[in-house]
Amino acid sequence: MKKNYTLLFCTLFMFILGTINVYTQTIIPGGNVSGTWSLAGSPYLIQGSIYIPDNQVLLIEPGVTINFQGSYKLLVLGQLLAIGIESDTINLTTDNPNTGWRGIRFADTPINNDTSKIIFCKLQYGKANGSGDDANGGAVYLKNFSKVIISDCLITNNFASESGGGITCYNSDPIITNNTISNNNVSFSSNEGGGGISYYYSNPYISYNILNNNSAFKGGAIYCYDYSSSTIIGNNISDNNAGFGGGIYSNYSNPDLYNNIIFNNSADNEGGGLTYYNGNSSIINNIIANNSTYYHGGGVCIGSDNSVFINNIICNNTVNNDGGGFYYYNGTTIFYNNTFTNNMANKGGALFCLNNSDLTFTNSIFWGNTATTDGQQIFLNDDNSDPNFFYCDVQGGQSLFALNGGIYFGNYENNIDTIPMFMSPSVSSGNNYNGLTADWSLQSGSPCINAGDPSG
């Protein structure tokens, strides 16, 4: 019997100890914060806006929950080290998703401070619905400060009334890598946006992220403006929505995109996947699939741009009007080794050009694109657009080009019109067929293999 009483006592003690740990909490009334927030003190209940002073550090341990009890923000003027681990993330949230909290904000943080790190964190229900700066960046807002790393985070269900439902950067160059950014949105009443990420005078590095289900007036996932030379690598940018640039919107900027999947985004007006203006970017090894918009560019809308597109697959995008894959005006972008396939439009199934679009396509495939009115592959709207085609495989050849008013295009040399023999293409054109799960690699007997430009 004695052993049974001992066992009962130990079990009761462990239960009480566990109960105490569950209900341990730390109340933060607002004001300056620094030092270490440990798991033992979690959750931290934030009852006012908090500030990390200049030259001070706040370290947050793995597994900590930070619960904002109202519309309060964490302003970083010093250094934030919120570093979780994959199996034990840091959770920044609120007990009232309708009210939300004001996010992590770096506003004119002194540039000499050390790098802040937000790693393996979950940021949800941020609401930037105030005025001025506080209307931008639902989860994270950066202005005039670049020394921030955001990596391996889940950034979801955040909102901004002006720009950047997930992250907004003004004149900032953060490193953003391996995150999932989903279900963020920006009010359509705004005239600039970025449901997931928005950049203004900035040069961010964005790598291996998943950005989806965001919405904004401009840039459902990412918004780059005024000389933002961002590098965006390995992201899954999907299910975002905007007025312009369902996935990404860029203007007077030079963002480089490598190895991204830009899938199933939508825009009310133009650029279901991407909208680019006035830039000079490298866009390489991306899949741009199943995006849609109403007016211009189911996949991509570009204007006054001088970028380079290499090894991209643009497939199963849809537009109600012009340019199923691309809508392009006024620029000299170079396209090399790209595949335009199974896109759908009213005019220009693969490409719609106007206003001095002097593009060059080399070693590219145009196949399976459809247009309900004219230009199954290409529609040229004006005589000043003179795209060139070298060593391409073009379905139907020049017969499937629509030349508005009998105009002419540029050079058309060493091209073929032969089934490219994709390994496992989508069944048909348009975004009702999944271009992402298709295999667009070429079978061993494809006529496109070793048939490109011999000069390299």
Side-chain angles (χ1 to χ4, degrees):
M1 295 295 295
K2 185 175 181 180
K3 289 183 179 179
N4 289 340
Y5 280 122
T6 301
L7 179 61
L8 178 63
F9 174 78
C10 291
T11 302
L12 180 62
F13 177 77
M14 292 177 67
F15 173 78
I16 294 172
L17 181 61
T19 302
I20 291 172
N21 285 339
V22 168
Y23 289 98
T24 297
Q25 62 185 27
T26 303
I27 295 175
I28 305 296
N32 291 342
V33 294
S34 61
T36 300
W37 287 3
S38 66
L39 182 59
S42 179
Y44 288 80
L45 307 182
I46 312 302
Q47 298 183 351
S49 289
I50 53 179
Y51 309 86
I52 303 175
D54 184 19
N55 293 318
Q56 295 195 34
V57 180
L58 175 63
L59 172 65
I60 304 173
E61 293 184 343
V64 166
T65 292
I66 303 169
N67 192 311
F68 290 80
Q69 306 283 284
S71 185
Y72 309 127
K73 62 187 173 184
L74 168 55
L75 176 62
V76 182
L77 298 175
Q79 183 185 24
L80 171 65
L81 296 175
I83 304 175
I85 57 177
E86 185 174 5
S87 60
D88 209 2
T89 59
I90 296 169
N91 187 21
L92 293 95
T93 187
T94 179
D95 59 354
N96 186 346
N98 292 324
T99 301
W101 59 294
R102 287 289 174 86
I104 302 173
R105 315 192 73 77
F106 299 84
D108 297 310
T109 303
I111 60 174
N112 293 326
N113 284 335
D114 289 336
T115 299
S116 288
K117 299 179 181 181
I118 305 169
I119 300 174
F120 282 114
C121 293
K122 181 178 181 180
L123 292 83
Q124 60 180 345
Y125 305 126
K127 282 198 172 183
N129 55 1
S131 60
D133 290 347
D134 287 340
N136 304 276
V140 181
Y141 174 79
L142 298 103
K143 178 182 179 182
N144 302 324
F145 186 69
S146 298
K147 294 160 69 175
V148 177
I149 296 172
I150 305 171
S151 176
D152 297 288
C153 293
L154 172 62
I155 301 174
T156 185
N157 292 309
N158 300 287
F159 169 84
S161 58
E162 288 190 6
S163 72
I167 302 172
T168 290
C169 302
Y170 287 174
N171 192 27
S172 302
D173 310 333
I175 296 174
I176 304 174
T177 176
N178 202 30
N179 304 285
T180 297
I181 305 178
S182 65
N183 293 298
N184 306 288
N185 68 83
V186 179
S187 172
F188 276 8
S189 62
S190 165
N191 59 10
E192 59 183 347
I197 303 177
S198 168
Y199 300 97
Y200 184 90
Y201 286 108
S202 55
N203 297 282
Y205 174 93
I206 311 171
S207 175
Y208 296 102
N209 307 295
I210 299 175
L211 299 89
N212 53 31
N213 297 315
N214 306 288
S215 63
F217 186 74
K218 291 183 180 178
I222 299 173
Y223 175 62
C224 303
Y225 186 66
D226 274 0
Y227 312 109
S228 295
S229 298
S230 45
T231 302
I232 304 170
I233 299 178
N235 302 282
N236 184 332
I237 302 172
S238 61
D239 299 293
N240 304 288
N241 175 260
F244 300 83
I248 298 173
Y249 183 96
S250 174
N251 193 9
Y252 289 106
S253 297
N254 302 303
D256 292 327
L257 277 69
Y258 302 94
N259 303 316
N260 300 284
I261 294 174
I262 302 170
F263 174 74
N264 204 39
N265 303 283
S266 62
D268 296 335
N269 293 284
E270 64 181 32
L274 309 173
T275 295
Y276 273 69
Y277 294 122
N278 306 297
N280 186 5
S281 300
S282 295
I283 301 173
I284 301 173
N285 293 329
N286 302 283
I287 299 175
I288 304 171
N290 287 84
N291 303 285
S292 62
T293 190
Y294 190 83
Y295 291 107
H296 302 142
V300 183
C301 178
I302 297 184
S304 302
D305 194 82
N306 299 291
S307 296
V308 177
F309 276 72
I310 301 174
N311 294 332
N312 300 285
I313 298 172
I314 301 95
C315 63
N316 287 100
N317 301 288
T318 299
V319 65
N320 288 51
N321 287 290
D322 305 327
F326 261 77
Y327 180 93
Y328 201 103
Y329 62 93
N330 188 29
T332 58
T333 293
I334 296 173
F335 294 84
Y336 194 87
N337 283 355
N338 297 281
T339 297
F340 302 84
T341 181
N342 284 1
N343 301 288
M344 177 183 289
N346 180 44
K347 294 181 180 179
L351 173 68
F352 185 100
C353 293
L354 76 163
N355 192 21
N356 297 303
S357 294
D358 297 329
L359 316 176
T360 298
F361 296 90
T362 305
N363 297 355
S364 295
I365 298 173
F366 296 82
W367 205 269
N369 304 289
T370 60
T372 56
T373 299
D374 209 354
Q376 185 167 323
Q377 301 300 331
I378 314 293
F379 189 99
L380 304 182
N381 192 65
D382 61 88
D383 194 33
N384 292 322
S385 293
D386 299 306
N388 303 295
F389 298 85
F390 304 105
Y391 297 95
C392 295
D393 187 3
V394 182
Q395 184 178 12
Q398 300 177 55
S399 67
L400 295 184
F401 286 32
L403 310 177
N404 188 25
I407 59 177
Y408 299 94
F409 52 90
N411 297 302
Y412 191 85
E413 300 175 3
N414 300 306
N415 302 293
I416 62 175
D417 173 15
T418 309
I419 296 173
M421 296 176 58
F422 296 121
M423 189 67 70
S424 181
S426 56
V427 174
S428 189
S429 62
N431 63 345
N432 288 327
Y433 302 92
N434 196 323
L436 183 61
T437 58
D439 184 352
W440 299 104
S441 61
L442 299 174
Q443 299 179 40
S444 60
S446 170
C448 299
I449 297 176
N450 297 323
D453 185 353
S455 65

